[in-house]
Amino acid sequence: MAEIVQSKRALRELQTTKLHDFLKDSTNKPKLAALYQRLFDSPAFNNSRTIGVTLSMDDELDTQPIIHEALAHDIQVAVPRTLPHRQMEFVLLEEKTQLNQTKFGTIEPVNGTVIAKNQMDVLIVPGLAFSRNHYRVGYGGGFYDRFLKGFEGVSISIATPVQLFEQPVWDVETFDVPIDQLIFSEDQEGL
């Protein structure tokens, strides 16, 4: 097991900067396109009827290509809405769905059809750091770890080269829920 080198808070700060720099570098577009394609080629994605995915913000992996690909293949898309006590629910992204920016800067639905957790076949889980053994460091709210408890579909995360670690360099806690599938480039070496 890798030595724990930083707190999750310090790692989040470092990873936010590294991810920002990676995403803003136009030479990385082919790498990103290849990661999206690996997701689109995966059996879990292709066999889905409904996927859950965030509406990305600046400095996050752009989820619009995922949303467009799903809709183009008649896969329903559901997006999260935060609730009190660090809970969330997913709402179908439809023509009538109205979106609004929260006080935290995230874009969320303000109306729409809420779907049950067990109605999603795939959940695309965001994060800042991922280990090859499928643990992740998210953005610090704990929303996804709470939601993943009891989730029966397939949880998938996409790791860019700057987000992938051979082993966790953070403290994996008892409430951390590993994701089912991690998408990264085969030529990526762990950091």
Side-chain angles (χ1 to χ4, degrees):
M1 181 119 192
E3 180 181 330
I4 296 170
V5 296
Q6 359 194 318
S7 69
K8 285 184 179 179
R9 177 183 215 140
L11 184 62
R12 281 185 190 100
E13 289 177 21
L14 175 65
Q15 288 300 107
T16 298
T17 300
K18 288 169 70 175
L19 184 58
H20 167 84
D21 293 345
F22 180 84
L23 295 173
K24 296 305 178 205
D25 183 346
S26 62
T27 64
N28 290 321
K29 287 185 189 235
K31 292 177 187 173
L32 290 170
L35 288 172
Y36 289 128
Q37 194 58 53
R38 289 192 70 159
L39 171 65
F40 303 152
D41 290 343
S42 73
F45 187 88
N46 281 302
N47 295 327
S48 295
R49 293 177 311 281
T50 305
I51 66 163
V53 62
T54 62
L55 296 168
S56 57
M57 300 187 315
D58 290 342
D59 294 337
E60 293 180 346
L61 182 72
D62 186 4
T63 58
Q64 284 305 310
I66 298 168
I67 293 168
H68 290 304
E69 184 74 9
L71 294 174
H73 290 89
D74 296 320
I75 299 170
Q76 291 185 107
V77 174
V79 295
R81 174 169 52 209
T82 55
L83 303 169
H85 310 294
R86 297 183 185 239
Q87 300 294 315
M88 65 181 176
E89 62 188 4
F90 280 77
V91 176
L92 287 178
L93 189 58
E94 301 171 302
E95 234 178 86
K96 64 181 181 180
T97 309
Q98 297 173 359
L99 303 172
N100 201 5
Q101 188 171 18
T102 69
K103 63 182 178 181
F104 302 108
T106 59
I107 306 295
E108 295 185 357
V110 294
N111 68 337
T113 306
V114 176
I115 63 167
K117 191 186 285 197
N118 65 3
Q119 289 180 279
M120 284 189 291
D121 302 301
V122 167
L123 180 62
I124 308 297
V125 182
L128 288 165
F130 303 95
S131 64
R132 288 184 187 257
N133 63 350
H134 298 207
Y135 283 98
R136 61 181 271 283
V137 172
Y139 290 86
F143 289 93
Y144 277 88
D145 285 319
R146 285 176 182 83
F147 191 85
L148 285 169
K149 287 189 190 323
F151 177 65
E152 296 176 4
V154 178
S155 59
I156 301 175
S157 289
I158 299 172
T160 67
V162 298
Q163 294 174 287
L164 185 64
F165 292 80
E166 194 62 39
Q167 293 291 326
V169 295
W170 58 88
D171 188 19
V172 175
E173 300 173 84
T174 57
F175 53 79
D176 290 337
V177 178
I179 50 149
D180 297 317
Q181 295 180 15
L182 183 63
I183 297 200
F184 58 92
S185 298
E186 286 300 323
D187 60 349
Q188 281 179 239
E189 294 182 22
L191 301 175

